[in-house]
Amino acid sequence: MTIRADQDAGPNSGFWCATGFSPAELLFLPEMRQTLSFLGSLPGDTRPFVRIHYLLNLVTGMRTATGVAYDWSLLDEALDTLVERGLRPMFELMGNPSNLFTDFDELGQVKSWRDLVTALAARYAARFGRNEVTAWLFETWNEPDLPFWSWGEPGLANYYDACRAGLDAVDPALRLGGPATARTLSSTFRAFLAHCDAGTNILTGAAGGRLDFISVHEKGVRESAEDLTPRPLRMIARELQAVDYVRAHHPRFADLPFVNDEADPQLGWDTPHTWRARPTYAALIAKIADQHRRHLSEARRVDARVVNDNGFLGRWGHRTLFAYFGPRTFPGGQAGHRTDLAAVKATRQASAEPFALVKKPALAVLELMGLLGPRLCSVASDPPLAPDHDGVGMMATTWPGAGEGLSRIAVLVYGSPDRIWSSGEKCLRVGFEGLAPGDYAVAAFRLDDAHGCAFDLWDDWEAPDQLDADQFAALRAAQEAGLLGAVEHVRLESGGSLVREVVVPLPSVTLLLAERRSARLAGAPTNVTAARQPGPSPREDVLLTWRPDPSDRVQLFDVLFGPSAAGPFERVNPVPLLSAAFLHARAPGGGVYHIEARHLDGPPSRSGPLAF
């Protein structure tokens, strides 16, 4: 294989950096807040989107002589939970405050919904600022072609008109899309597009309206207790049916972003599948992103985005980013769900149940993908790669250097056969060409059975439900993407190339990095925070987060802990960290933390002390 770093192949927009879960009341649980702290600490410049059902069920309302008075306090807290962690809502305008809305064919209720959306947009533009809220995505009610929606296709059209008018009344830059339908080319999907294109607006009488993106839900395979073959290419094929329908029947919308915002390998978040705990899922996530890039963005010029709907809370086999250990059970968020605000408030006031979370490869692969660069580059292979046949593919990216030529290249290689239990390996000979001459640091990170797979360790212990503090520490030591060997130092002369042999296990994800060495040190992390978590006794869990110094270079982090400002300090993370978050299990009591940041090839810079 030859990767030409100097041949630009277009932008790499991080179009996969999003997740979702249901229901909204999970935002008040410490388990979800810990999950979101890690999600908001991923490397890279892209801020993840989080798509959540039933947000508007957190709002209560009371009709008065002059309209409706709303209590926004719970929704305020829920959105603070996201924004404070560097996350952006993909805000489904879904939920029914105090069940006030019963008929979207009735003009008075349509106007009342418009006023609700206006009040919502104005409130959060004032709370978070215009620049923040215009970066969000607003979306219609989830899956209105299923029983989530109760008011029919005409009601959906009226509801959309009200949502659009409510957002526009505050700021026309606010983006709204839909219809987030579950069935391929359902009548609801077709009716929604027809209304947005040329239908009569119930509020203005005008024909047609504005749509900012089109969203659908297509999965790799149906829900089943069996480990069915995911077949993400069939997901792609069904998406392309929708794309072709839009281009044929609604060409005005042909260039809109096209979002599959539940692009999961298998339907059903809470039907357990052990492959979700293993590198199999990480490799599928990488492959699905790459297939969207190749088959939609490049082959069909579609502005394609994907969301892996895996932000739920659950155990090893659930569609989650962490494995949960603790006494809770979590709701499925199905069509019959009803938010119990009394229970939400009681949960917030109760003492938190002890719990522990262990990172799964589904989160670790987002760390590796976050280290990809902003530009794609040319890849040639002899014989050609066949990722849709044998599951081995790659995304090669670069960073333009500041007047120095290309300063860094990052290549994500995945081994992801569709059949869940396939195994084996493939050997690639990879040549990097077109890099500027100079000294380079070369490294590789890996997710496979031996790197970043804590599940196998738990399985070796005969799958205990109760673990002690040392066992949790061992799982967390095994959860990180592993560095394959030592960082190499290589000098490239003008016109030279760098060649490496890469063994690709099936399944696996490998990130290859080559970065020009520099005398400039990594900047010291700032905004270091610590918070006690209700972890398993006799130790306490301390969640540390920090803000990395802005940089276009790879940064690795270490957490140092000592009994006092005078030290001595020891590194408490078992391997270098890629994200700006760490959970420290320690003996109860005080101490002092420093966070160190370093590039692949340089000495560290240390943050100021944090006593905690």
Side-chain angles (χ1 to χ4, degrees), residues 20-103:
F21 63 85
S22 178
E25 52 261 41
L26 293 178
L27 286 163
F28 302 108
L29 298 182
E31 295 92 332
M32 179 54 76
R33 292 180 172 183
Q34 188 177 121
T35 296
L36 296 177
S37 291
F38 278 88
L39 187 65
S41 300
L42 294 173
D45 295 331
T46 302
R47 287 178 58 188
F49 282 95
V50 184
R51 181 175 178 271
I52 306 166
H53 297 347
Y54 300 112
L55 278 169
L56 292 183
N57 278 6
L58 301 179
V59 179
T60 58
M62 179 178 296
R63 296 197 183 277
T64 68
T66 57
V68 182
Y70 291 106
D71 179 354
W72 302 90
S73 57
L74 287 175
L75 185 57
D76 289 348
E77 184 179 341
L79 294 177
D80 288 347
T81 296
L82 295 176
V83 175
E84 289 169 357
R85 289 162 173 78
L87 302 167
R88 287 177 170 153
M90 191 171 184
F91 198 126
E92 292 179 322
L93 294 168
M94 178 184 186
N96 192 348
S98 300
N99 294 314
L100 293 175
F101 296 91
T102 59
D103 186 359

Side-chain angles (χ1 to χ4, degrees), residues 90-427:
M90 191 171 184
F91 198 126
E92 292 179 322
L93 294 168
M94 178 184 186
N96 192 348
S98 300
N99 294 314
L100 293 175
F101 296 91
T102 59
D103 186 359
F104 281 96
D105 288 325
E106 198 274 305
L107 182 60
Q109 291 200 31
V110 174
K111 291 180 176 179
S112 184
W113 186 269
R114 174 201 61 195
D115 296 343
L116 166 68
V117 175
T118 297
L120 179 149
R123 182 177 188 85
Y124 296 116
R127 189 178 186 88
F128 301 118
R130 178 181 186 271
N131 289 342
E132 172 65 31
V133 178
T134 54
W136 297 0
L137 295 174
F138 291 86
E139 190 179 30
T140 54
W141 203 286
N142 180 66
E143 296 181 349
D145 53 349
L146 296 183
F148 290 100
W149 178 258
S150 304
W151 298 284
E153 291 171 3
L156 180 66
N158 297 338
Y159 153 88
Y160 183 81
D161 292 341
C163 292
R164 180 77 269 168
L167 295 176
D168 286 346
V170 175
D171 194 329
L174 296 173
R175 296 173 291 173
L176 174 65
T181 43
R183 296 189 174 114
T184 306
L185 294 180
S186 66
S187 64
T188 301
F189 176 82
R190 298 193 302 270
F192 175 83
L193 291 177
H195 174 75
C196 292
D197 195 359
T200 301
N201 188 301
I202 190 174
L203 295 172
T204 67
R210 175 177 145 201
L211 184 64
D212 293 319
F213 62 89
I214 296 169
S215 59
V216 298
H217 297 170
E218 296 291 354
K219 313 282 188 176
V221 71
R222 68 179 178 85
E223 185 171 8
S224 172
E226 308 299 335
D227 288 331
L228 303 179
T229 299
R231 306 188 194 281
L233 276 182
R234 295 187 183 179
M235 174 200 304
I236 298 284
R238 292 191 294 270
E239 291 176 21
L240 286 173
Q241 289 182 46
V243 168
D244 290 341
Y245 179 86
V246 172
R247 291 178 172 179
H249 297 277
H250 304 287
R252 185 163 73 92
F253 298 150
D255 294 328
L256 291 181
F258 183 84
V259 184
N260 184 352
D261 49 25
E262 291 191 16
D264 304 302
Q266 187 160 15
L267 181 64
W269 84 270
D270 54 351
T271 302
H273 294 287
T274 299
W275 56 263
R276 288 179 176 145
R278 309 190 74 255
T280 307
Y281 191 19
L284 274 167
I285 290 171
K287 180 170 71 171
I288 288 170
D290 183 49
Q291 287 176 325
H292 279 80
R293 176 185 67 85
R294 290 185 289 108
H295 293 291
L296 274 79
S297 299
E298 293 183 0
R300 301 293 298 277
R301 301 302 179 201
V302 178
D303 184 2
R305 324 282 176 90
V306 293
V307 177
N308 281 283
D309 193 35
N310 55 10
F312 296 85
L313 294 173
R315 303 185 188 274
W316 288 114
H318 295 141
R319 201 169 68 217
T320 64
L321 302 172
F322 286 89
Y324 166 82
F325 289 85
R328 291 194 199 274
T329 57
F330 299 103
Q334 300 303 310
H337 170 76
R338 296 292 182 270
T339 300
D340 184 343
L341 291 182
V344 170
K345 293 174 181 177
T347 297
R348 289 167 65 244
Q349 294 167 358
S351 298
E353 298 273 6
F355 70 91
L357 300 179
V358 177
K359 185 190 298 185
K360 291 159 62 171
L363 179 60
V365 73
L366 296 182
E367 294 181 308
L368 299 185
M369 294 168 81
L371 292 173
L372 293 173
R375 306 296 301 181
L376 297 164
C377 59
S378 170
V379 177
S381 176
D382 184 21
L385 278 181
D388 299 332
H389 173 68
D390 62 15
V392 177
M394 67 165 48
M395 288 189 283
T397 64
T398 59
W399 284 254
E404 300 178 337
L406 297 169
S407 62
R408 170 177 158 203
I409 188 166
V411 180
L412 191 85
V413 183
Y414 60 86
S416 177
D418 281 353
R419 293 201 179 275
I420 295 301
W421 302 118
S422 296
S423 61
E425 64 182 32
K426 190 156 188 137
C427 187

